[in-house]
Amino acid sequence: MNKTPLHDEHVKLGASMIEFGGWSMPLNYREGITYEHLAVRKVAGLFDISHMGRFIISGKGCLEFLQHILTNNAAALEVGQSHYTILSDEEGSAIDDTYLYRFYPDRFLLVVNASNTEKDKAHLLDISKKFKDVKIEDMTGSLSMLSLQGPKSKGILLSVISSGSLPEPLKNELSIAKIGNVEVLIARTGYTGEPIGFELFLDSKEVADIWTLLISRGSVPVGLGARDTLRLEAGLPLYGHELGVNLQGVRMPVFASPQSRLAVSFSPLKGSYIGRKVLKGQFEALRKILDKDFSSIEALPSMIMQLELIEKGIARPGDRVYFNGDEAGYITSGTVVPYWIPEDAGGWREITGDSAVRSIALALLDSRRWEQDVVEVEVRGKRIKAVIMPYVLRAEAPPHAYPITSKDILEEKEKKAKGANLPEKMEILISKALENTRWRQKECINLIPSEMTPSKVVKMLSIMDPVGRYAEHKKLKAYADLEAFYYQGTDFISHVEELLKDEMKSYLGCSQVETRTISGQMANTAVFSALVDFINRADRKSEPRRIRQVLNHHIIKGGHLSAQPMGALKDFVAID
């Protein structure tokens, strides 16, 4: 078996060593898989992932080569960025799922699964013969790889970096730094579902010292056992289970896996590549299925879905799944996983010191099945109820990833089914509105200008008739820039606006004033709309082109919500 440069360190720490993909690797350490899983979710876990394959791809033809063999748009990667991507075959199935990193302008780093390294290498070398000036170097032995994942991973890394910096706080961002005198390539990537996590690439001769240093700063060593439970909880596919040829010998469509769909680009900037036509067919079928149109289901007959068992039992790979008595698919990965129990803390959730366990699984199910459907898993001859979950973990509220249980999902479903007791709800709402008003106006100070408590005169005026009237107006060149109102009966409103303009001009000492209040979302919507209007100025009849790149201030650094893809920007910027 192959051994990573950290093999002796694992043995010293009392690891249970197993064979995995031709490598001797730690399954778990003395404290066990449950301890290691929970440590990643609450503190920080340190993984030796040097068994994974690593290739440097360079040469003038490398970008064209990568565009041909990978499903994602390699040309979209700037220096300092990375993304998840697939080595696809012509049938639209995965030869492997990979990660592509661009630390330097003249070369790329491709990371592949350990068990597929030699197969992938042969595939890369074979295809590269068709391209001019493509160099492929196998760095698996000389370049080691660590993964540091969890809420405290950022603090741990900051405590050991001697120069350089961490990547920007965005998924897939990269940086180069030094720990002592050792150069380390750092990526904000990982396969645990954690919102904060890093993967480190460094010289194999130096990795043992860095491993020991990171443990001394609070990292918990984690083996392959917890790595698998963490990725399962996050709903991430494993090659040979949810991707490629699975345990049943079935060659699975790439679009069967929700995570893998993110690795496929149909951008015209990318052009053609291996498997594109079939993948496009899977994509079109998926779009119809999501609209409950199953006319193209033969292109995507089954999809990977997450399950949580709601009766006692453990789902294992190969167990059959039934819906209303009919066979609906089978388990691809399944086990029991631990989780920290969160509690509500006034508008957010906190991780407590209490933990529990639950049985979860990934299953390849009939594409006509839906979230919240209750299915049955046949475990050792007994059928056990399970819920199809939209997710069992969410990571959009750093620094923690939070568990979502079947109880949460079923309670929400039950609420919707019961409907509303309107009189009771209105009474509660009015009471709470009164309570909130007293608190807002008498017990706190609102620091947002638009939320400050108005005077009694303003409050009285704001319930009078003109307040609720439309009064849009626009300067018309035909009227010599006179403001033309779109609605009748607005003379008084117009008069008030003019008085207000005069007062504001005097107070601010300026020549122009816009008195109509406008939100940040609307302000940026106007800017983005104008940009789209500008880039489409030559063609008013076709589908409008969207903004390809924008300069924005990220929300983590204080940027306004409207300038993020989750805000107003999403309607104007191109997805790919």
Side-chain angles (χ1 to χ4, degrees), residues 370-550:
W370 217 252
E371 293 166 3
Q372 299 184 348
D373 280 350
V374 176
V375 296
E376 291 179 315
V377 183
E378 190 169 79
V379 178
R380 296 181 179 179
K382 182 182 177 182
R383 294 191 182 182
I384 295 169
K385 287 184 179 179
V387 179
I388 297 178
M389 302 283 286
Y391 34 73
V392 297
L393 188 79
R394 296 295 295 187
E396 69 267 50
H400 296 286
Y402 292 88
I404 305 296
T405 66
S406 57
K407 182 182 176 185
D408 299 325
I409 299 297
L410 292 174
E411 282 181 355
E412 183 63 27
K413 185 177 181 180
E414 190 177 342
K415 282 180 187 176
K416 289 178 180 177
K418 281 183 177 179
N421 182 343
L422 290 178
E424 183 182 337
K425 283 191 172 184
M426 287 190 65
E427 190 174 332
I428 293 171
L429 185 62
I430 292 169
S431 172
K432 286 190 174 293
L434 198 61
E435 179 186 333
N436 185 259
T437 300
R438 288 197 192 100
W439 172 73
R440 279 256 178 215
Q441 296 188 0
K442 297 185 179 296
E443 297 173 19
C444 73
I445 299 171
N446 293 299
L447 297 179
I448 300 175
S450 61
E451 291 189 359
M452 290 178 182
T453 301
S455 68
K456 290 183 179 180
V457 173
V458 170
K459 275 193 270 186
M460 290 300 294
L461 286 170
S462 66
I463 62 171
M464 299 184 77
D465 187 80
V467 168
R469 297 293 170 195
Y470 292 123
E472 290 97 332
H473 50 80
K474 181 182 179 180
K475 287 182 179 180
L476 297 180
K477 295 189 182 300
Y479 288 0
D481 281 348
L482 184 69
E483 295 278 357
F485 280 73
Y486 295 121
Y487 293 87
Q488 295 181 2
T490 55
D491 291 354
F492 174 66
I493 296 172
S494 176
H495 176 62
V496 171
E497 278 197 23
E498 290 304 316
L499 290 173
L500 180 57
K501 281 182 184 178
D502 291 341
E503 292 296 328
M504 294 294 285
K505 286 176 185 177
S506 173
Y507 180 75
L508 296 170
C510 62
S511 60
Q512 293 189 58
V513 169
E514 173 56 74
T515 58
R516 290 168 290 187
T517 55
I518 184 166
S519 71
Q521 288 278 8
M522 279 291 121
N524 267 337
T525 295
V527 173
F528 300 143
S529 176
L531 285 171
V532 169
D533 194 49
F534 177 77
I535 63 176
N536 289 281
R537 62 195 182 281
D539 185 359
R540 301 295 185 185
K541 293 182 180 180
S542 302
E543 181 73 19
R545 287 187 298 139
R546 293 185 170 211
I547 306 166
R548 281 187 57 196
Q549 289 186 321
V550 292

Side-chain angles (χ1 to χ4, degrees), residues 108-143:
F108 293 82
L109 171 63
L110 185 69
V111 175
V112 304
N113 283 297
S115 58
N116 291 333
T117 301
E118 292 306 316
K119 177 188 74 172
D120 293 349
K121 183 178 179 179
H123 177 72
L124 294 171
L125 290 171
D126 182 52
I127 302 293
S128 68
K129 295 172 185 175
K130 302 173 185 176
F131 294 82
K132 290 182 179 179
D133 194 13
V134 175
K135 186 178 180 182
I136 299 171
E137 298 174 81
D138 187 346
M139 305 294 289
T140 306
S142 58
L143 186 69

Side-chain angles (χ1 to χ4, degrees), residues 101-299:
Y101 301 83
R102 194 177 187 187
F103 286 99
Y104 303 99
D106 60 343
R107 57 193 184 273
F108 293 82
L109 171 63
L110 185 69
V111 175
V112 304
N113 283 297
S115 58
N116 291 333
T117 301
E118 292 306 316
K119 177 188 74 172
D120 293 349
K121 183 178 179 179
H123 177 72
L124 294 171
L125 290 171
D126 182 52
I127 302 293
S128 68
K129 295 172 185 175
K130 302 173 185 176
F131 294 82
K132 290 182 179 179
D133 194 13
V134 175
K135 186 178 180 182
I136 299 171
E137 298 174 81
D138 187 346
M139 305 294 289
T140 306
S142 58
L143 186 69
S144 285
M145 190 174 178
L146 302 176
S147 183
L148 181 62
Q149 304 282 308
K152 296 190 177 179
S153 58
K154 177 183 174 183
I156 290 170
L157 269 187
L158 285 173
S159 74
V160 300
I161 286 177
S162 53
S163 63
S165 63
L166 296 184
E168 290 293 306
L170 289 168
K171 183 76 173 172
N172 293 334
E173 292 291 304
L174 313 176
S175 70
I176 301 174
K178 281 192 173 181
I179 299 177
N181 292 319
V182 180
E183 183 176 85
V184 182
L185 309 181
I186 306 175
R188 278 191 176 265
T189 52
Y191 221 61
T192 62
E194 280 297 306
I196 301 176
F198 305 87
E199 290 181 322
L200 315 179
F201 302 88
L202 64 156
D203 192 317
S204 294
K205 296 174 184 176
E206 311 287 352
V207 70
D209 289 341
I210 302 301
W211 167 270
T212 302
L213 176 62
L214 291 172
I215 291 174
S216 74
R217 297 299 172 94
S219 304
V220 175
V222 182
L224 293 180
R227 183 170 169 82
D228 190 52
T229 58
L230 290 160
R231 73 91 194 167
L232 177 58
E233 187 180 30
L236 301 173
L238 177 64
Y239 188 86
H241 289 251
E242 291 80 35
L243 276 174
V245 181
N246 68 16
L247 299 175
Q248 279 66 38
V250 175
R251 184 164 288 283
M252 305 174 70
V254 167
F255 272 82
S257 166
Q259 171 72 11
S260 304
R261 296 167 197 162
L262 305 175
V264 182
S265 169
F266 298 113
S267 168
L269 299 174
K270 177 171 174 57
S272 184
Y273 53 89
I274 298 172
R276 187 187 191 281
K277 184 178 179 181
V278 179
L279 290 170
K280 185 70 171 178
Q282 295 175 16
F283 170 66
E284 295 297 343
L286 175 66
R287 289 210 298 191
K288 290 182 178 180
I289 290 167
L290 294 177
D291 288 332
K292 298 199 173 181
D293 172 359
F294 304 112
S295 60
S296 300
I297 198 170
E298 67 279 357

